[in-house]
């Protein structure tokens, strides 16, 4: 099988940076445990590798002793996590992606100026939960056109809209245009990360020149699943986490496969898939 790889695929700048910071800490670790609040990234295989190295995943600060070392992952967290860890005298290794940090700053600034915050994205995603934590968890989170109708916007209020970094640009524009019809005083901050855009555009380019696409990445990785949906609209697309999920029989009819991967997919997993496909 001929295999073509998307120009931009796999670890983005923010994830690469976060994973390196965390790995460096683990390499220099002495006896005390190092904790991460939630999985470091949405990739089980990579997370397992870090756990083997000694990273302990927790879901609440209450579960760890005072003075512990805590890694904040690239998705970022709300203000309360910083306050709580300070009161527990924790040593913080903050791997929040600078692009996410920028959204925190915007939200903090505009909410302190009396703006109501609107976030376009998935309310359950850790990045959105973190962003919401910079405006007292009072943001209006919108993830569909219907949700605009379900929210009442006060014509006398001023609003600031930001987006989840992994949002689709067309969807963002559509929602913003709908919001403009309902809100007079709307400040728009397009905070979509350009690593996401690059991966989406490369995936579209590649999908248009191959017979099928293989998208590698976590089933819970929002940016991976967006790549899957984009590719599905163009060619038959297979969403996998590792090469073990590829079915040789299904791939039999295709001559050229395109490969792309979400921003939290490590290179070694991509290489394994490429090697496997080439052997078919
Ligand atoms: S996708 Fe963008 S915002 Fe998210 S971690 Fe990567 S570089 Fe940062």
């Amino acid at each position: 099988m001929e295999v073509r790889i998307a120009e931009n695929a796999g670890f983005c700048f923010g994830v690469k940076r976060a994973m390196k910071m965390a790995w460096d800490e683990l390499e220099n670790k002495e006896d005390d445990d190092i904790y991460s609040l939630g999985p470091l990234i949405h990739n089980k295989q990579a997370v397992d590798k870090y756990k083997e190295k000694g990273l302990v995943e927790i879901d609440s600060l209450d579960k760890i002793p005072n003075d512990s070392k805590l890694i904040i992952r690239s998705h970022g967290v709300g203000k309360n996590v910083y306050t709580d860890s300070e009161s527990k005298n924790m040593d913080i290794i903050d791997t929040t992606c600078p692009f996410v940090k920028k959204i925190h700053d915007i939200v903090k600034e505009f909410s302190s100026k009396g703006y109501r915050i609107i976030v376009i994205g998935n309310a359950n995603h850790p990045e959105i939960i973190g962003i919401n934590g910079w405006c007292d968890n009072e943001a209006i989170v919108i993830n569909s056109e219907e949700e605009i109708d379900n929210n009442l916007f006060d014509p006398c209020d001023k609003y600031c809209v930001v987006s989840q970094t992994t949002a689709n640009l067309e969807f963002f524009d559509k929602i913003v245009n709908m919001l403009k019809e309902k809100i007079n005083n709307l400040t728009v901050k397009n905070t979509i990360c350009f690593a996401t855009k690059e991966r989406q555009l490369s995936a579209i380019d590649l999908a248009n020149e191959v017979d099928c696409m293989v998208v590698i990445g976590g089933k819970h990785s929002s940016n991976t699943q967006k790549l899957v949906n984009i590719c599905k609209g163009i060619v038959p697309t297979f969403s996998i986490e590792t090469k073990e999920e590829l079915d040789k029989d299904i791939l039999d009819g295709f001559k050229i496969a395109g490969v792309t991967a979400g921003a939290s997919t490590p290179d070694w997993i991509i290489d394994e898939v490429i090697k496997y496909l080439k052997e078919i």
Side-chain angles (χ1 to χ4, degrees):
M1 189 173 233
E2 183 184 331
V3 183
R4 296 186 193 166
I5 302 136
E7 199 181 330
N8 294 289
F11 271 4
C12 60
F13 149 78
V15 170
K16 206 179 271 177
R17 174 180 171 273
M19 296 303 273
K20 182 175 183 322
M21 284 170 77
W23 193 260
D24 289 349
E25 284 301 326
L26 291 167
E27 290 259 85
N28 298 319
K29 153 175 151 35
E30 290 169 3
D31 291 341
D32 290 339
D33 282 329
I34 300 182
Y35 300 91
S36 89
L37 195 51
L40 216 44
I41 52 171
H42 285 145
N43 185 285
K44 189 186 171 303
Q45 294 71 27
V47 165
D48 287 348
K49 201 169 163 181
Y50 279 67
K51 278 187 189 163
E52 277 165 29
K53 187 87 179 160
L55 186 66
V56 181
E57 191 183 305
I58 47 145
D59 57 12
S60 157
L61 291 189
D62 299 339
K63 299 195 176 152
I64 51 177
N66 287 2
D67 306 314
S68 307
K69 203 170 241 194
L70 177 75
I71 296 179
I72 292 179
R73 56 196 177 160
S74 60
H75 294 126
V77 290
K79 193 179 168 191
N80 66 315
V81 175
Y82 291 95
T83 323
D84 293 351
S85 20
E86 222 175 88
S87 66
K88 291 189 84 171
N89 199 31
M90 287 181 184
D91 182 4
I92 299 269
I93 298 110
D94 191 353
T95 77
T96 305
C97 174
F99 298 130
V100 177
K101 203 77 180 163
K102 194 176 138 205
I103 307 178
H104 294 172
D105 293 343
I106 293 171
V107 167
K108 190 176 155 201
E109 182 197 333
F110 278 82
S111 76
S112 73
K113 286 181 185 165
Y115 283 73
R116 295 212 53 198
I117 304 296
I118 303 172
V119 190
I120 299 177
N122 175 356
N124 298 320
H125 191 279
E127 183 187 307
I128 302 293
I129 295 169
I131 292 170
N132 206 356
W134 291 91
C135 57
D136 295 327
N137 298 307
E138 286 182 349
I140 301 164
V141 183
I142 292 180
N143 203 23
S144 68
E145 293 172 42
E146 295 71 47
E147 277 165 351
I148 294 193
D149 296 328
N150 296 341
N151 275 287
L152 291 176
F153 297 98
D154 186 338
C156 301
D157 261 351
K158 41 191 186 177
Y159 293 82
C160 171
V161 58
V162 296
S163 129
Q164 185 169 350
T165 54
T166 49
N168 174 294
L169 183 59
E170 278 174 24
F171 179 69
F172 176 80
D173 286 341
K174 190 187 247 180
I175 297 290
V176 165
N177 285 333
M178 289 173 78
L179 287 171
K180 279 181 180 165
E181 283 172 17
K182 295 190 173 258
I183 298 169
N184 297 328
N185 191 343
L186 180 71
T187 299
V188 179
K189 299 281 180 188
N190 177 349
T191 51
I192 297 177
C193 161
F194 101 110
T196 307
K197 271 189 235 169
E198 270 179 356
R199 271 154 191 71
Q200 291 176 353
L201 292 174
S202 298
I204 292 170
D205 284 349
L206 185 59
N208 276 307
E209 57 179 64
V210 295
D211 301 327
C212 69
M213 284 293 289
V214 175
V215 183
I216 317 161
K219 297 280 189 286
H220 299 291
S221 155
S222 142
N223 73 85
T224 304
Q225 293 314 311
K226 285 206 177 90
L227 288 174
V228 172
N229 289 335
I230 287 171
C231 294
K232 266 188 183 161
I234 305 172
V235 278
T237 298
F238 307 98
S239 166
I240 57 163
E241 287 192 357
T242 63
K243 73 172 171 50
E244 279 70 31
E245 288 169 62
L246 281 171
D247 183 338
K248 264 187 186 167
D249 296 337
I250 291 179
L251 289 165
D252 206 23
F254 303 107
K255 286 201 173 82
I256 312 173
V259 172
T260 187
S264 45
T265 310
D267 287 350
W268 52 273
I269 293 184
I270 303 175
D271 291 343
E272 276 180 8
V273 171
I274 293 169
K275 189 167 171 265
Y276 180 85
L277 286 169
K278 281 184 175 165
E279 281 167 4
I280 294 180

